[in-house]
Amino acid sequence: MAVETDLAAVAVANEENDDIEIGIIGAEIEKPKVKRRRGNTLEKWEAALVKAMIRRKTYNDQDILSYFTRPTRTVNHRLIGEIRTGSKHKAVKAADDEGLDAFLSTWPDIDHETGLSVRGDELLIKAREAMIAAVHTFNSAGLTFRAELFVVTAIIAWTYLLHAYFKREGVTYIYKGSKTPNGQDRFWDLAQCLDTGKCPLSPGVKTNLRFLIGLRNEIEHQSTSRIDDAVGAELQSCCLNFNDALRTYFGHQFGLEKRLPIALQFVSFGMDQRTALKKASSLPVHVSSFISAFEHDLTEEQVKDPAFRLKVAFVPIAAKKAAGADQAVVVVSPVSDLAEQVEVVFKEVNRTRYIRQDILDKAAEAGFPKFGAGAHTKLMNELDAKNPARGYGCVGDYKAHWVWFDKWLETVLQHCKDNAEKYQ
C-alpha cells in the first residue's frame, strides 16, 4: 500500500466509509510554539524521601537532586537546600528507613519505552497507554462494538492527559467539597477539564471532545448498533489531536506515531459494496438525534475544522503493468476545493509514466523538434528534476530506470513555449 498525504496521519476513516481503520504516523505539522512551564515542585512523598536521605548524612544536595530529576521535570538544587533548612515542606514527615530502602532498591523506576518515571509520571504513562488501547481495540478484527469501546477509553486517555498537564502547571483539579463514597477526593471529569480557563486545548479540539462526551453518554445509557461509519471521522481527529497535545505539551519524544502506524486492512472500497452496506446499516434513533442536535449548534467553521472532524478521500491507483499496480489512500486537505465538494471520492487513476525519449517525442509533436537530449538534460539539472521531492518522476519498475510523470511533461512543454524561437 502506497500513501500520499499532506496531513499528520492517514486513516481509512470517514463518516460514510464501509469500514474504518485509525492510526497515527509521524509526518510533521507546523504548530505555533507553546511556552511550557517546567514545574520544579516535589510531591509530598518525594519530600519525605529527601528528608530521609538528609537524615542518613551520606548524601549531599547534588546527590539527592539526581534521584528526583526526570525528563518531564527538572528540580532546582535550591529546593533540596530549602528542605534541609526547613523552609519548605516543614510539615512533611521524613520517610522511615524501610521506605527509603525500598525507593533506592527500585530506582530508577522508569518506563523503558519512554524513560518516564512509573510513579512520578503515572498519569502521563496511563494516558498514552489508554489511547494506544483505544486504537488497538478499534482496529481489532471481528469486533462490532469498536467505536463505543474507543470513545470510552479515549475519554479516559484525555482525562489523564489533562490531569498530568494540570498537575505539572500547579492547577488544582479537584472538586472542592466533594468526595467519593470512600471519602477520597473527586478529580475533575473531562467536561470540567475542558471548561476550566486553564485548559490549553484549541476550540476545535474541545468541540471534538465534547462531541465524544455526548456520544459516550448515549452509549452508557442506551444500547447502540454499528456507529463506526457515522463517527469515524471524529474518532480519527481525536487520535490526531491527542498525539499533537502529547507532543506539544510534554515533548515530541512521547508521541505515539511509532507505536500506532498506518493500519493495514482487508477491505476494498467498491461502489457496489458501499451501496449494499449503507442499505444494511442504520444509526439508532437516539444516536442520530444526538449527532444532529450537536451539529445544529455548531458554526460552519466549527464543522469544517479538522480538529473536530477529519475528512479523507480514497483513490485506487491502477497502473498499466501488474507489477506497478497498487492501492493508495490519499488524504485531501480540508481547505482544498475537493474537500468542499465531496466527502468521499472514488476515482480510477492511471498515472502515465514516460522515458526520456517519450518526452522528446511529445515535445516534437507539440512543434518543438529542436528540444533534444542535451536541452532535456540541461533543464533537468537546472530544476533538480530527479529529486523525488519535486514530484516530476520516480525510479521505474524496469531495471531501476528513471521515469517521468505528466508534471514533468507539462514543465518541458511550457519551457519550450517560453523559448519557442530556440526549439521550433
Side-chain angles (χ1 to χ4, degrees), residues 1-5 10 12 25 262 264 313-317 324-331 351 353:
M1 175 179 285
V3 180
E4 301 176 0
T5 177
V10 170
V12 183
I25 64 175
I262 299 169
L264 302 180
F314 299 86
V315 184
I317 297 179
D326 60 4
Q327 266 197 327
V329 179
V330 179
V331 178
R351 197 170 193 180
R353 302 183 180 193

Side-chain angles (χ1 to χ4, degrees), residues 15 56 68 117 140 233 311 318 325 346 363 388 397 406-407:
E15 59 249 66
R56 285 196 177 177
F68 299 97
S117 168
S140 295
K311 296 183 179 182
F346 293 86
D397 301 320
D406 284 326
K407 181 179 179 181

Side-chain angles (χ1 to χ4, degrees), residues 140-267:
S140 295
L143 296 181
T144 58
F145 199 55
R146 303 187 306 167
E148 294 88 342
L149 291 172
F150 175 91
V151 169
V152 172
T153 312
I155 286 176
I156 294 174
W158 272 104
T159 304
Y160 281 8
L161 184 69
L162 289 175
H163 284 182
Y165 175 84
F166 292 146
K167 179 180 178 181
R168 191 193 68 198
E169 298 299 311
V171 177
T172 301
Y173 53 98
I174 297 173
Y175 286 107
K176 295 181 180 179
S178 180
K179 300 287 186 179
T180 68
N182 294 325
Q184 301 298 314
D185 289 330
R186 286 184 63 238
F187 296 108
W188 288 348
D189 60 12
L190 182 56
Q192 182 59 40
C193 289
L194 299 178
D195 290 340
T196 179
K198 301 293 185 179
C199 182
L201 303 179
S202 69
V205 176
K206 290 181 180 180
T207 300
N208 177 267
L209 291 177
R210 290 191 176 104
F211 175 84
L212 296 188
I213 291 170
L215 187 61
R216 189 274 314 271
N217 294 338
E218 296 297 327
I219 294 168
E220 181 180 359
H221 297 293
Q222 294 195 47
S223 176
T224 58
S225 58
R226 184 177 174 86
I227 63 173
D228 303 353
D229 301 340
V231 299
E234 287 84 357
L235 304 191
Q236 179 60 70
S237 289
C238 174
C239 285
L240 297 182
N241 295 341
F242 184 88
N243 200 49
D244 285 344
L246 191 61
R247 288 157 55 94
T248 299
Y249 302 116
F250 293 95
H252 285 245
Q253 68 270 35
F254 302 124
L256 300 180
E257 56 270 16
K258 292 182 180 179
R259 286 287 303 272
L260 299 172
I262 299 169
L264 302 180
Q265 60 179 16
F266 294 97
V267 177

Side-chain angles (χ1 to χ4, degrees), residues 45-109:
W45 65 272
E46 293 174 306
L49 290 169
V50 169
K51 288 188 174 183
M53 297 175 81
I54 292 172
R55 184 182 61 213
R56 285 196 177 177
K57 299 181 179 181
T58 57
Y59 303 94
N60 61 37
D61 289 3
Q62 191 65 37
D63 294 334
I64 297 173
L65 180 67
S66 66
Y67 283 93
F68 299 97
T69 297
R70 52 181 185 262
T72 56
R73 185 196 63 186
T74 57
V75 180
N76 192 299
H77 69 280
R78 173 180 50 81
L79 186 57
I80 307 299
E82 290 174 340
I83 293 176
R84 185 184 291 275
T85 60
S87 60
K88 291 285 187 180
H89 296 290
K90 186 175 182 179
V92 176
K93 183 180 179 181
D96 56 28
D97 287 336
E98 183 178 351
L100 178 57
D101 289 338
F103 170 76
L104 294 173
S105 65
T106 58
W107 188 90
D109 61 336

Side-chain angles (χ1 to χ4, degrees), residues 341-358:
Q341 299 170 16
V342 297
E343 294 186 354
V344 181
V345 176
F346 293 86
K347 180 182 179 182
E348 293 298 328
V349 179
N350 190 355
R351 197 170 193 180
T352 306
R353 302 183 180 193
Y354 307 94
I355 61 174
R356 184 181 64 177
Q357 189 58 49
D358 294 333

